[in-house]
Amino acid sequence: MLLAAVAQTSDLVAATASRSAKVGLVADLLRRARPGDVPVLVAYLSGQLTQRRSGVGYAALRDLPAAAETATLELLEVDGAFDRIAAVSGAGAALERRRQLHDLLARATGGEQRLLTGLVSSELRQGALEGVLLAAVATAGGVGEPAVRGAVTLAGAVAPVAAAVLAEGSAGLARFRLRPGQPLRPMLAQSAGSASDALERVGGVGGLEWKLDGIRVQVHRLDGEVSVFTRTLDDITERVPELAEEVLALPGSSLVLDGEVIALAPDGRPLPFQVTGSRVGRRLDVAVARERVPLSAFFFDALHVDGDDLVAERGDGRWAALEAAVPAALRVPRLVTGSAEEAERFFAAAVARGHEGVVAKSLSVPYALGRRGAGWVKVKPVHTLDLVVLAAEWGHGRRTGVLSNLHLGARDPDGSYGPPGGFVMLGKTFKGLTDALLAWQTEQLLARAVDQDRSQVRVRPELVVEVAFDGVQSSSRYPSGLTLRFARVLRYRPDKTAAESDTVAAVRALH
């Protein structure tokens, strides 16, 4: 399949607001795909490269070569080129990756360049989200969408299901079953502003559980073999041997458990997320890492116990199975209540212990694999700061031509990190920006520009923006040693001057 066909469909999907039209366009493209094209095609339609990490950053997207006039690139040829780019390492790797990328882009038409730069920058927002893609797979294969969705949740990815459906129709779906050792896409939670609101949204009576600030894990056991997977289905078994030991010590022969792994201080309070993340994410000497940062596991769901698949069971039934299979010390604290007052007290107690908040869970819904269903609703304290925009980066893909990624700064009145009265950068964000806000901020920031190049515009520190975030963490990247977790723009504050913005000291107090 030519890459041009994918680029053309991507443009057409982006240009229509009709979901049915999007589904029809994607389904038509899927029907035309050769079997070997399907995994790459599905990834590209989802806005992702198959390599996940290509090693190519925004800087490589500057000064792009002129577009080719004729479409010649094959889909699998492009995927192979990104394999080679991702494999580049050693001295001069960034320059070599950029050279190879530009060689590829020089052979791409204008539409293909838009597609490829959107994939590289992770800013391909053409509207073919998973819901559209699953419906298109069902349409192209002549099967029901619920059956496709169920198979995808068990497979952990769209691509293998799409390949099976397009090749065999409904018969291809039979191979996707829950098997201990094969990771499943985890159920996700919606958000609410308060514990009482969350309780109401799950039916008025529900199970409230502490929301731990650790690493989501899915632990599979089949006889004497244990596998541990992250939320993104990465296998981390070798990095967390204590989890394997704890699960092997449980009675029974086969288990699939959903939970969290976290590093705790001696008093039981959670250590900063970075400590857990570093222990799980880095490939160090496991024995040494385990000695320095022991991990604790807390489970909150059972998907399979000794031959019984529980995904379709009610929430209270799965919890009962978890209680029977896992001791209390390995279960997350839980309260079943219909009282708003009790819910708020439970939330306050979790936060007081240093945890993220709570999750309210319906007692009746099944486990909605891979979906942010209404059966789980999370509640976290909302932190906000009024920060100053120091610079902004030009957007890519759908945001080409507007200033997108904001550089956020806090006021430094005492000059602890530079000249007194200056501003210290805390991080960046492009989240929370609507099209209207992007257009407005581009006009406002350009009017305040003091210096610019092809990638960014530095501005007078005048515009104050209210930013929400999940927490403050240590960072060696910024002068203050701090950065914000999951920062997103709430609104600009024209009613505030830069002199009224929050200080680095206020941020450090939150840390």
Side-chain angles (χ1 to χ4, degrees):
M1 173 175 279
L2 286 173
L3 181 68
V6 186
Q8 181 183 34
T9 298
S10 179
D11 285 344
L12 290 172
V13 168
T16 180
S18 167
R19 185 181 188 275
S20 62
K22 292 178 189 287
V23 170
L25 288 164
V26 176
D28 180 62
L29 186 65
L30 289 169
R31 290 190 192 100
R32 289 185 278 143
R34 296 170 299 192
D37 292 329
V38 172
V40 181
L41 176 58
V42 166
Y44 285 14
L45 289 172
S46 302
Q48 302 170 346
L49 295 169
T50 63
Q51 292 75 18
R52 296 185 63 183
R53 294 181 179 88
S54 66
V56 177
Y58 281 111
L61 300 178
R62 302 173 191 165
D63 303 320
L64 298 182
E69 294 184 2
T70 305
T72 61
L73 288 171
E74 291 281 345
L75 184 61
L76 296 186
E77 178 187 8
V78 172
D79 187 52
F82 278 110
D83 279 340
R84 292 188 292 275
I85 291 170
V88 174
S89 61
L95 288 175
E96 176 59 19
R97 284 193 289 263
R98 183 179 186 274
R99 184 193 68 77
Q100 291 190 27
L101 176 65
H102 281 223
D103 286 348
L104 177 65
L105 292 173
R107 299 178 54 205
T109 64
E112 291 170 331
Q113 283 194 355
R114 284 194 300 275
L115 174 68
L116 294 176
T117 55
L119 292 171
V120 168
S121 64
S122 299
E123 291 190 1
L124 185 70
R125 299 180 177 89
Q126 87 284 58
L129 298 176
E130 186 173 283
V132 169
L133 191 55
L134 293 183
V137 169
T139 300
V143 300
E145 186 178 344
V148 171
R149 185 177 295 279
V152 169
T153 58
L154 293 172
V158 178
V161 175
V165 169
L166 293 173
E168 306 172 48
S170 59
L173 297 175
R175 72 184 64 162
F176 300 104
R177 304 192 306 273
L178 193 159
R179 296 187 180 92
Q182 178 177 296
L184 309 169
R185 305 175 77 195
M187 184 172 177
L188 305 175
Q190 297 182 2
S191 298
S194 68
S196 52
D197 179 38
L199 189 63
E200 182 178 349
R201 285 169 57 180
V202 298
V205 177
L208 273 75
E209 300 167 8
W210 284 7
K211 188 178 189 309
L212 308 183
D213 192 15
I215 301 290
R216 181 85 173 264
V217 291
Q218 191 178 109
V219 183
H220 292 238
R221 173 184 168 182
L222 184 58
D223 298 324
E225 295 292 327
V226 171
S227 300
V228 183
F229 303 96
T230 65
R231 172 174 166 166
T232 53
L233 310 188
D234 295 315
D235 190 332
I236 58 167
T237 308
E238 294 183 355
R239 303 181 209 173
V240 288
E242 53 264 65
L243 266 72
E245 293 170 5
E246 288 182 325
V247 172
L248 280 174
L250 299 176
S253 59
S254 61
L255 291 168
V256 178
L257 305 175
D258 192 1
E260 200 94 3
V261 63
I262 189 170
L264 300 176
D267 64 355
R269 294 179 65 85
L271 293 171
F273 173 80
Q274 286 173 297
V275 177
T276 301
S278 178
R279 162 65 204 278
V280 173
R282 296 173 63 186
R283 298 180 183 277
L284 301 173
D285 183 303
V286 174
V288 174
R290 180 177 179 176
E291 179 68 24
R292 292 176 179 172
V293 184
L295 296 172
S296 298
F298 294 92
F299 298 106
F300 48 71
D301 220 316
L303 310 184
H304 176 96
V305 176
D306 286 340
D308 292 330
D309 293 342
L310 306 173
V311 171
E313 296 294 323
R314 290 169 48 100
D316 50 6
R318 297 197 313 277
W319 180 262
L322 181 70
E323 282 186 310
V326 176
L330 295 180
R331 299 195 305 266
V332 71
R334 175 179 167 99
L335 169 70
V336 176
T337 183
S339 165
E341 292 76 14
E342 282 189 346
E344 294 296 348
R345 287 197 296 270
F346 190 76
F347 170 75
V351 173
R353 288 287 296 170
H355 298 295
E356 276 198 307
V358 298
V359 181
K361 297 184 177 180
S362 167
L363 301 180
S364 61
V365 300
Y367 191 94
L369 286 152
R371 302 186 65 185
R372 201 174 294 279
W376 288 8
V377 182
K378 60 186 177 182
V379 185
K380 297 190 289 186
V382 178
H383 304 293
T384 64
L385 288 169
D386 291 328
L387 302 175
V388 173
V389 179
L390 305 179
E393 298 172 8
W394 290 106
H396 299 280
R398 184 172 172 272
R399 292 187 176 185
T400 297
V402 295
L403 290 170
S404 175
N405 206 13
L406 301 177
H407 295 201
L408 305 170
R411 192 159 47 91
D412 184 21
D414 303 325
S416 300
Y417 305 97
F423 297 88
V424 181
M425 187 171 172
L426 292 173
K428 308 177 185 181
T429 188
F430 57 83
K431 297 181 179 179
L433 296 167
T434 63
D435 289 346
L437 199 54
L438 284 164
W440 180 87
Q441 78 177 20
T442 299
E443 178 184 356
Q444 295 294 319
L445 292 172
L446 287 176
R448 293 167 171 80
V450 296
D451 184 25
Q452 59 181 297
D453 54 34
R454 290 183 179 273
S455 64
Q456 67 179 19
V457 176
R458 287 168 287 280
V459 301
R460 297 192 302 274
E462 296 174 353
L463 285 181
V464 177
V465 62
E466 184 178 359
V467 175
F469 56 98
D470 287 2
V472 179
Q473 66 185 36
S474 301
S475 172
S476 60
R477 186 173 183 178
Y478 301 108
S480 65
L482 303 172
T483 192
L484 307 181
R485 290 186 66 200
F486 305 115
R488 60 254 184 216
V489 171
L490 293 180
R491 58 175 174 156
Y492 276 89
R493 297 295 305 268
D495 58 318
K496 284 197 170 187
T497 67
E500 298 173 287
S501 62
D502 284 306
T503 65
V504 183
V507 180
R508 187 165 294 284
L510 286 171
H511 182 255

